[in-house]
Amino acid sequence: MLHHTLLLQATTTTTASTLGTANPISILMFFLFVAVTMYITYWAAKKTKTGSEFYAAGRSISGFQNGLALAGDYMSAASFLGIAGMVATKGYDGLIYSIGFLVGWPLIMFLIAEPLRNLGKYTFADVVAYRLRQRPIRIVSSIGSLLTISFYLIAQMVGAGGLIQTLFGLPYEVAVVVVGFVMTAYVLFGGMLATTWVQIIKAVLLLSGATVLVLLSLAKFGFSPANLFSSVTQQYGDAMLAPGGFISNPWDALSLGLALMLGTAGLPHILMRFYTVPDAKAARKSVFVATGFIGYFYLLTFLIGFAAMALVGKPTIEGIDKGGNMAALLLAEQTGGTAFLGFIAAVAFATILAVVAGLTLSGASSISHDLYVHVVKQGVSDEKGEIKVAKRATIALGILSILLGLVFKGQNVAFMVGLAFSIAASANFPALLMSIVWKKFTTQGAVWSILTGAVLSLVLIVLSPTIWVDILHNEEAIFPLKNPALVSMSSAFLVGIVVSLLQPEKSAALKFESEKLRTYLGVGAE
């Protein structure tokens, strides 16, 4: 116990000194990462001429590479810093997030990956609209996509600003602008090929950094997780290893679990990655690989959280950041010194860049491929025009992300990621699933299902304790659950089914058999 007290005293003195001052190593690492990825962007730009190359890297990425890139796209800084922080401050309940984020993947593997790859071209709206009327579907699915992407972007940009402010002592505004510029450059010049390699490099860095961090931390406990957990219970009591510290209402737990699990299968920037591989077999392999890496990563964040609680101490972590977001960085400093802190900080920042690039690319493809080609041009694609629109959309989204980052400065953005998942699970997932598996699904059913899911998610989250009480400071929430997915997703399914049955569409049902051939055998897939 004395050993721990000494450790706690040691940290309290060191943390005050290095976090928030310019750390030369992390700045060097960060510039190295940007330099390497910019070179990759230059290399990719020479190979990116056609639409298929810009949106889907010419379908040239292997299953294993795409698996790593999927993991890179999915393991955001919010989950690395956020989940470790949640475990370090709330204990066992942080696991709901990490398991929820992971459980969605087998679902994607068996239900979504293959049909998506076989039916679509560049966006998930291709799949929903395959046998339905193009224009209405494209318009509403773009709304679903862009809403999901916007909320996800806010969380990433605010996270980036706060992170750089804490690490390098740079002003928040400067940080947000830097992220916006660098990420726009990746997408604008290098398209999907550059974005993919940025995500692969980042995934390797993040996985190796987190592994070293866990090994250094476990070394303090004789490489025994059991010793780590007993140290936690000695300091903070058994409650930390029991559920109920963060989410005590079972309905809340169910709703959050649904959002995290099924939202994954509705995130546009994740679904878009399935078009970068040559065929459905590679799409399945990439999910398999991604699931392995992501599962391993979330196990690490869980251990990092508890190690931070035991070695750094809860008061220190909460003293620097109420949400506990700096727990992983404090632990890195404690176990590996300033140099290792610099490395982990640079990795966390690289993580934000890679995720934001993926988000921007999927937003740009939704605007150019779904709205410009299928709504404005009514399906008549001229490839040069489409890429021009995609590049303009990229610049617009880059500017938008910088503005959103500045507007939401200082807000607690943790709920934004939850909201993004909730919209993805309510607006995008039900329509996508029903269009693949249900013969009687119609255009009107899809339109109303997507609109119901999107509108209900937004309205209910405003009325929920998350915004109504915590941010608007009202006495009591109008809607009791913190995450609306349970209600909004069920309603989206229900509305889709009822409207489709009330207004049948013969042409859609007739095309179902040919769609089935293409879904499962890949006949005629792009």
Side-chain angles (χ1 to χ4, degrees):
M1 199 55 210
L2 179 69
H3 166 69
H4 288 307
T5 344
L6 288 172
L7 273 176
L8 283 175
Q9 284 165 351
T11 355
T12 351
T13 51
T14 52
T15 36
S17 60
T18 56
L19 267 185
T21 53
N23 177 339
I25 293 162
S26 59
I27 294 175
L28 185 74
M29 295 266 189
F30 172 64
F31 277 114
L32 192 68
F33 176 81
V34 172
V36 171
T37 48
M38 280 300 176
Y39 176 75
I40 288 174
T41 306
Y42 168 71
W43 162 80
K46 291 193 288 197
K47 293 186 157 201
T48 301
K49 302 280 185 282
T50 65
S52 154
E53 283 160 353
F54 183 78
Y55 294 121
R59 314 205 190 283
S60 62
I61 310 287
S62 73
F64 183 79
Q65 288 168 342
N66 194 41
L68 253 180
L70 270 167
D73 211 351
Y74 195 65
M75 302 181 302
S76 65
S79 59
F80 173 47
L81 301 173
I83 291 175
M86 200 177 284
V87 174
T89 53
K90 303 276 196 288
Y92 177 88
D93 269 8
L95 199 59
I96 289 192
Y97 271 92
S98 40
I99 296 295
F101 280 135
L102 175 65
V103 174
W105 283 90
L107 192 100
I108 294 182
M109 175 144 174
F110 295 116
L111 282 181
I112 306 276
E114 203 170 336
L116 197 72
R117 175 65 195 84
N118 284 336
L119 290 175
K121 195 174 175 186
Y122 303 137
T123 63
F124 84 94
D126 290 337
V127 181
V128 184
Y130 186 78
R131 58 194 173 93
L132 307 174
R133 295 205 308 281
Q134 294 284 339
R135 289 185 74 174
I137 298 290
R138 299 281 179 180
I139 293 170
V140 290
S141 45
S142 299
I143 294 173
S145 284
L146 292 170
L147 274 175
T148 311
I149 291 165
S150 305
F151 286 114
Y152 220 114
L153 266 178
I154 294 173
Q156 298 299 328
M157 294 303 276
V158 176
L163 186 68
I164 300 177
Q165 202 176 3
T166 314
L167 296 175
F168 307 146
L170 267 181
Y172 176 91
E173 290 73 12
V174 177
V176 168
V177 174
V178 169
V179 176
F181 269 109
V182 177
M183 154 292 280
T184 307
Y186 290 157
V187 179
L188 196 59
F189 301 113
M192 181 54 107
L193 191 58
T195 305
T196 299
W197 280 102
V198 170
Q199 284 160 349
I200 290 175
I201 292 171
K202 171 232 128 152
V204 172
L205 284 174
L206 187 59
L207 288 164
S208 45
T211 305
V212 172
L213 182 54
V214 165
L215 290 175
L216 287 174
S217 306
L218 283 177
K220 308 248 181 203
F221 299 97
F223 290 101
S224 153
N227 291 351
L228 164 64
F229 292 130
S230 67
S231 158
V232 168
T233 50
Q234 270 173 17
Q235 294 181 59
Y236 303 103
D238 293 338
M240 280 299 150
L241 299 180
F246 179 54
I247 295 170
S248 43
N249 173 353
W251 290 106
D252 250 338
L254 179 65
S255 194
L256 176 67
L258 276 177
L260 298 178
M261 204 168 85
L262 302 175
T264 306
L267 291 174
H269 62 296
I270 296 292
L271 297 175
M272 190 178 178
R273 292 224 54 88
F274 291 112
Y275 300 124
T276 61
V277 291
D279 53 26
K281 185 181 176 191
R284 282 199 308 274
K285 182 182 177 182
S286 57
V287 183
F288 179 73
V289 171
T291 310
F293 283 125
I294 290 165
Y296 172 66
F297 173 72
Y298 283 123
L299 271 177
L300 294 180
T301 52
F302 194 58
L303 285 169
I304 289 170
F306 276 121
M309 188 192 278
L311 293 171
V312 181
K314 249 164 89 168
T316 313
I317 296 170
E318 287 173 341
I320 285 193
D321 177 80
K322 265 209 184 87
N325 289 327
M326 295 296 147
L329 299 167
L330 290 168
L331 181 67
E333 186 181 24
Q334 167 101 36
T335 53
T338 319
F340 189 50
L341 168 72
F343 173 69
I344 293 286
V347 169
F349 192 44
T351 299
I352 292 177
L353 274 180
V355 174
V356 170
L359 286 167
T360 307
L361 184 59
S362 66
S365 65
S366 179
I367 292 169
S368 59
H369 181 67
D370 293 339
L371 293 177
Y372 174 72
V373 173
H374 289 279
V375 179
V376 180
K377 290 281 183 185
Q378 303 198 356
V380 185
S381 167
D382 105 74
E383 198 151 52
K384 275 191 176 154
E386 187 174 344
I387 294 184
K388 199 186 274 177
V389 172
K391 292 195 165 179
R392 284 180 187 163
T394 304
I395 296 172
L397 282 164
I399 295 170
L400 177 74
S401 65
I402 292 173
L403 290 175
L404 288 173
L406 296 176
V407 169
F408 283 90
K409 177 184 179 178
Q411 294 287 338
N412 175 3
V413 289
F415 75 91
M416 288 283 182
V417 175
L419 177 56
F421 271 83
S422 182
I423 295 177
S426 313
N428 307 344
F429 174 69
L432 183 60
L433 185 66
M434 289 192 283
S435 73
I436 295 171
V437 300
W438 189 36
K439 186 175 180 176
K440 293 180 175 172
F441 196 48
T442 67
T443 306
Q444 288 297 325
V447 168
W448 285 105
S449 167
I450 293 173
L451 288 176
T452 305
V455 171
L456 265 183
S457 297
L458 281 172
V459 171
L460 293 179
I461 198 126
V462 171
L463 302 178
S464 76
T466 320
I467 292 185
W468 200 250
V469 178
D470 298 351
I471 292 175
L472 298 176
H473 304 299
N474 289 305
E475 292 286 308
E476 203 176 323
I478 299 172
F479 177 72
L481 300 180
K482 283 181 183 161
N483 194 305
L486 183 63
V487 177
S488 54
M489 188 180 79
S490 317
S491 310
F493 270 113
L494 189 66
V495 169
I497 293 168
V498 171
V499 174
S500 294
L501 292 176
L502 289 176
Q503 297 186 319
E505 192 175 328
K506 269 219 177 98
S507 58
L510 289 172
K511 285 188 201 155
F512 186 69
E513 294 308 318
S514 65
E515 178 184 56
K516 214 150 112 183
L517 271 179
R518 185 161 158 177
T519 301
Y520 297 111
L521 301 177
V523 181
E526 308 244 355

